Amino acid sequence: MSSNDHRLIGCNEKDKETLLIFKKGINDSSYAKISTWLTEKDCCAWEGVHCDNITGRVTELHLHDQNLKGEINFSILELEFLSYLDLSDNYFEPSPTTQQNITHITSNLFYLDLSFNYGAHMDNLDWLSPLSSLKYLNLTGIDLHKASNWLQVVNTLPSLLELQLSFCNLKDFINNPSIEYLNLSSLVTLDLSGNNFTSQLPNQFFNLTKDLSYLDIQGSNIHSEIPSSLLNLQNLIYLDLAYNQLQGSIQDGIGQLANIQHLDLQSNMLSGSIPSTIGNLSSLHRDKFLSLIERISDSLYLSNNSMTGDMSNLTLKCEYLYLEHNNFTGGLPNISPKAYEVDLAYNSFSGSIPHSWKNLQELYYINLWSNKLSGEALVQVSNWTQLAFMNLGENEFSGTIPIKMSQYLEVVILRSNQFEGTIPAELFNQSFLFHLDLAHNKLSGSIPKFMYNLTQMKTFHERIFSGTEIELFTKGQYYSYVVKPDRRTIDFSANNLSGEMPLELFQLVQIQTLNLSHNILIGTIPKTIGGMKNIESLDISNNNLCGEIPESMALLNFLEYLNFSYNSFNGKIPIGTQLQCFDALSFIGNPKLCGAPLNNCTTVEENLRLQCHLHRMKKVI
């Protein structure tokens, strides 16, 4: 509905005619706001159209995400009093001819958003030059690789405050000889991310934009050191130079940015060290970067570089801290109580978790994978009441798993440490938990027996943590995979667990990976295992399990990895669509077990094994 309920006069006829010409270029508008644009109605009552209450002239046009297809007829810019135009998230294709035929273009337009019109391209941007009042321009996703003079056109827009040109396939603008004569001093926000500049960041470019508070050039194939001219951007709050090929040290380049709150330099080739004390500094100015990262209160991303240094004497105030995949050594830094996400994986941090970390009551995500950390890591866990993702794997942590933990846990990885004691029954009362890895520790006792409340392992649930890359041991080997809602895992392998496998464990029908190998478990396989219809990787090898393999296993259709070796199973391997397709290695070490794929098979079973082998060969061919 239009917000023009109190208009005094009707829509201007000239404006109405211009809107109808614009509509004519659209292929299908049956399900969009534009379907209400009927000639017999006042155009100020058309959806998406806003008029001035007094004059009846069209002032705003809101057509975001309407699935509109066809040609953007730029005659729409002839709406004399148009100040706001949003055609983003559609399928428009700008027409070169209509760009050239525009006359009497409006001088009132201050907001123009044509972003994410998929497949759209423009050969030039000269048509923008008359828009002297333009303050916001967003052309994100439009192919501008032929618009070589885009920087000069932007220079003709004296009022421009925000410029969004990400993913526009922009090429090398840095070597433009006229760059030093340009003046972009009005800009406050500049987004050039996701382009392909294949060039350096020039010092003179940042002399043009001294009032910038937001700068994003991530993922644009920039080759250079961080230019010292960044020091001119004293109002900078947000800086993202991630996913480029920046080299060298960063201490001198950005250390004097007094207002920076978000710094993202991840996935470059930066090196150098972060000194932990002023006493180690060779000159006074070299502590600038040390001071900078302690001032940042929002986000600090330095991951995937080659940075070194001891951060143990630092107190970091940021809510989002990502330092993974570097060469940091020494103790962990102190972290603000408002920290929300912390990723320090793949470094060489040592020592224990600082006592101050017990105050991280807002912590949602913690990843310390693959460091040299030790001590009783889980003492503070009961205080992290909002925690959803915890990865402390591949360290030297010790102690026991606490009974009290966050009720929001979704991912728990304690793999390859020195944890001991029993697995607390309370751990299986986590409604949201879908990835539980306690492998390669010194845990003992039995797997708790009671009705599990692992809702995520039984049914699909909407709330789930996803998008983070973790290490997973499944199907007999390590995988690095991104956490997804459809991947559910339990891994208790390589501990000292005893007793029987609980019946309830096999009622978690959503599990894809179950690994209980290399323990001292006894008893038989529950017949309910046939109900685990989603299981892809099952390893219960190297235990003291016995009895027959249940016939219900023949119902499993998604198994890609199976290992029952080195137990005391007996009888015949059930005949099914998959079990005969595994190698004998999946069953060896069970002297009383027979049937395909083992050698002591009957003729019928041998024929099944041969058919399975031929079926596999056909797939390969």
Side-chain angles (χ1 to χ4, degrees):
M1 295 287 294
S2 174
S3 59
N4 299 289
D5 297 335
H6 303 290
R7 286 180 293 104
L8 300 181
I9 62 174
C11 165
N12 178 273
E13 284 300 318
K14 182 180 178 182
D15 289 355
K16 184 175 184 178
E17 181 181 345
T18 301
L19 290 172
L20 290 173
I21 293 173
F22 172 77
K23 179 184 178 182
K24 190 177 295 184
I26 297 173
N27 296 337
D28 182 12
S29 59
S30 56
Y31 299 104
K33 291 179 180 178
I34 207 169
S35 62
T36 66
W37 292 16
L38 304 175
T39 54
E40 60 270 22
K41 289 186 178 181
D42 187 332
C43 75
C44 290
W46 294 351
E47 287 193 49
V49 178
H50 293 251
C51 297
D52 183 272
N53 288 339
I54 306 298
T55 65
R57 301 303 297 265
V58 174
T59 57
E60 298 183 13
L61 191 56
H62 298 256
L63 293 176
H64 164 77
D65 192 18
Q66 294 295 301
N67 199 33
L68 298 175
K69 302 173 184 178
E71 180 183 292
I72 296 181
N73 192 322
F74 279 91
S75 63
I76 199 73
L77 295 177
E78 295 181 356
L79 290 170
E80 184 180 356
F81 292 91
L82 186 68
S83 62
Y84 187 103
L85 176 60
D86 186 353
L87 303 179
S88 62
D89 282 283
N90 286 292
Y91 296 88
F92 282 123
E93 177 67 28
S95 169
T97 56
T98 53
Q99 291 180 43
Q100 295 169 4
N101 295 332
I102 304 173
T103 59
H104 304 103
I105 193 169
T106 178
S107 60
N108 293 304
L109 194 68
F110 75 87
Y111 184 102
L112 176 59
D113 191 347
L114 305 179
S115 63
F116 298 109
N117 276 285
Y118 304 96
H121 67 277
M122 294 182 181
D123 293 344
N124 68 78
L125 297 179
D126 294 334
W127 55 276
L128 286 171
S129 296
L131 302 177
S132 57
S133 299
L134 199 62
K135 294 183 179 181
Y136 176 96
L137 175 62
N138 192 343
L139 302 180
T140 293
I142 294 179
D143 188 346
L144 300 178
H145 78 277
K146 292 184 178 180
S148 58
N149 67 334
W150 68 270
L151 196 55
Q152 285 74 21
V153 173
V154 170
N155 190 55
T156 66
L157 305 175
S159 303
L160 197 62
L161 299 176
E162 183 167 341
L163 177 61
Q164 305 270 358
L165 295 178
S166 59
F167 299 97
C168 289
N169 202 20
L170 294 174
K171 303 297 184 183
D172 184 0
F173 74 94
I174 302 300
N175 295 325
N176 192 311
S178 63
I179 190 171
E180 57 184 299
Y181 302 106
L182 301 179
N183 180 9
L184 306 177
S185 59
S186 65
L187 279 180
V188 175
T189 296
L190 177 60
D191 187 348
L192 300 175
S193 61
N195 285 292
N196 190 27
F197 294 126
T198 63
S199 55
Q200 297 184 349
L201 285 173
N203 269 321
Q204 61 266 39
F205 181 71
F206 294 110
N207 291 331
L208 311 175
T209 57
K210 293 184 179 180
D211 290 331
L212 273 183
S213 63
Y214 181 105
L215 176 61
D216 188 348
I217 319 182
Q218 65 111 347
S220 290
N221 206 6
I222 297 293
H223 298 68
S224 68
E225 294 186 353
I226 298 176
S228 59
S229 62
L230 273 173
L231 296 176
N232 297 329
L233 307 180
Q234 288 298 303
N235 295 324
L236 205 59
I237 296 174
Y238 184 105
L239 175 61
D240 191 341
L241 302 177
Y243 301 100
N244 283 292
Q245 299 186 48
L246 298 174
Q247 304 174 9
S249 173
I250 61 178
Q251 282 90 334
D252 297 334
I254 56 176
Q256 297 178 19
L257 301 177
N259 296 303
I260 196 76
Q261 298 299 322
H262 176 103
L263 177 62
D264 193 343
L265 301 175
Q266 65 180 306
S267 298
N268 281 285
M269 295 183 288
L270 297 169
S271 57
S273 64
I274 296 179
S276 61
T277 63
I278 295 179
N280 293 333
L281 303 176
S282 58
S283 60
L284 183 61
H285 75 280
R286 285 185 62 79
D287 70 331
K288 295 297 185 182
F289 184 64
L290 171 61
S291 172
L292 173 73
I293 64 174
E294 288 191 291
R295 293 198 311 266
I296 294 174
S297 62
D298 183 10
S299 308
L300 176 62
Y301 298 89
L302 298 177
S303 54
N304 293 289
N305 285 289
S306 298
M307 301 189 66
T308 61
D310 182 345
M311 307 183 74
S312 58
N313 288 338
L314 299 183
T315 298
L316 304 179
K317 301 177 182 178
C318 46
E319 295 182 32
Y320 299 87
L321 175 63
Y322 281 77
L323 305 178
E324 79 275 12
H325 289 280
N326 279 287
N327 300 313
F328 293 121
T329 57
L332 295 170
N334 292 306
I335 295 176
S336 166
K338 67 177 184 178
Y340 189 70
E341 295 181 9
V342 176
D343 195 335
L344 308 179
Y346 295 101
N347 281 286
S348 296
F349 288 110
S350 59
S352 60
I353 293 180
H355 182 69
S356 61
W357 282 32
K358 71 176 183 179
N359 299 317
L360 305 182
Q361 297 183 9
E362 303 297 322
L363 192 63
Y364 173 77
Y365 172 98
I366 178 72
N367 189 358
L368 301 178
W369 174 270
S370 190
N371 279 283
K372 299 177 181 178
L373 297 165
S374 59
E376 297 193 9
L378 301 179
V379 173
Q380 291 97 336
V381 167
S382 60
N383 293 319
W384 300 346
T385 56
Q386 302 301 311
L387 195 64
F389 182 104
M390 177 171 63
N391 186 352
L392 308 183
E394 293 284 353
N395 282 286
E396 300 169 15
F397 289 127
S398 59
T400 60
I401 301 176
I403 294 176
K404 184 180 179 183
M405 301 176 77
S406 167
Q407 291 299 303
Y408 300 108
L409 281 170
E410 300 177 14
V411 174
V412 174
I413 302 174
L414 304 179
R415 184 187 191 89
S416 298
N417 281 286
Q418 303 294 319
F419 292 114
E420 56 187 6
T422 60
I423 300 175
E426 288 76 9
L427 191 56
F428 294 90
N429 229 6
Q430 301 283 347
S431 299
F432 301 115
L433 192 64
F434 71 94
H435 187 102
L436 178 59
D437 188 348
L438 308 180
H440 290 268
N441 280 287
K442 297 180 178 180
L443 299 172
S444 58
S446 61
I447 301 174
K449 296 181 181 179
F450 68 101
M451 187 58 67
Y452 290 14
N453 192 28
L454 297 173
T455 308
Q456 288 288 358
M457 304 287 193
K458 293 181 179 179
T459 59
F460 184 81
H461 195 281
E462 290 184 0
R463 184 191 187 277
I464 203 155
F465 189 96
S466 63
T468 297
E469 184 175 317
I470 62 175
E471 302 295 332
L472 170 69
F473 188 85
T474 186
K475 302 174 186 176
Q477 57 186 309
Y478 267 111
Y479 290 88
S480 180
Y481 92 107
V482 175
V483 178
K484 296 180 180 179
D486 60 353
R487 169 60 60 184
R488 287 158 170 78
T489 300
I490 289 181
D491 193 340
F492 295 161
S493 62
N495 281 286
N496 297 310
L497 299 175
S498 58
E500 296 184 352
M501 298 183 295
L503 177 65
E504 293 86 355
L505 188 61
F506 293 88
Q507 293 175 349
L508 304 178
V509 295
Q510 291 293 330
I511 289 182
Q512 280 87 26
T513 296
L514 177 61
N515 192 345
L516 305 177
S517 66
H518 294 275
N519 283 288
I520 48 177
L521 298 171
I522 61 172
T524 60
I525 303 174
K527 294 180 180 180
T528 54
I529 192 171
M532 302 181 75
K533 298 294 181 63
N534 296 291
I535 195 77
E536 297 175 6
S537 177
L538 176 61
D539 191 346
I540 54 176
S541 64
N542 292 275
N543 280 287
N544 296 322
L545 299 169
C546 62
E548 295 185 351
I549 298 175
E551 290 288 338
S552 63
M553 283 204 66
L555 301 175
L556 302 180
N557 296 317
F558 295 103
L559 272 175
E560 297 179 19
Y561 179 84
L562 179 69
N563 195 345
F564 281 7
S565 64
Y566 298 102
N567 281 286
S568 297
F569 293 122
N570 57 55
K572 292 183 178 180
I573 298 172
I575 298 174
T577 56
Q578 284 196 300
L579 296 185
Q580 279 67 47
C581 292
F582 293 102
D583 295 330
L585 291 175
S586 295
F587 300 97
I588 63 170
N590 293 282
K592 298 182 180 180
L593 194 62
C594 67
L598 297 179
N599 292 327
N600 54 336
C601 309
T602 66
T603 303
V604 174
E605 289 160 338
E606 185 62 38
N607 288 336
L608 282 171
R609 184 184 179 193
L610 179 60
Q611 290 174 14
C612 185
H613 177 72
L614 291 174
H615 181 66
R616 277 183 170 177
M617 292 299 293
K618 287 180 181 179
K619 282 187 175 181
V620 172
I621 293 172

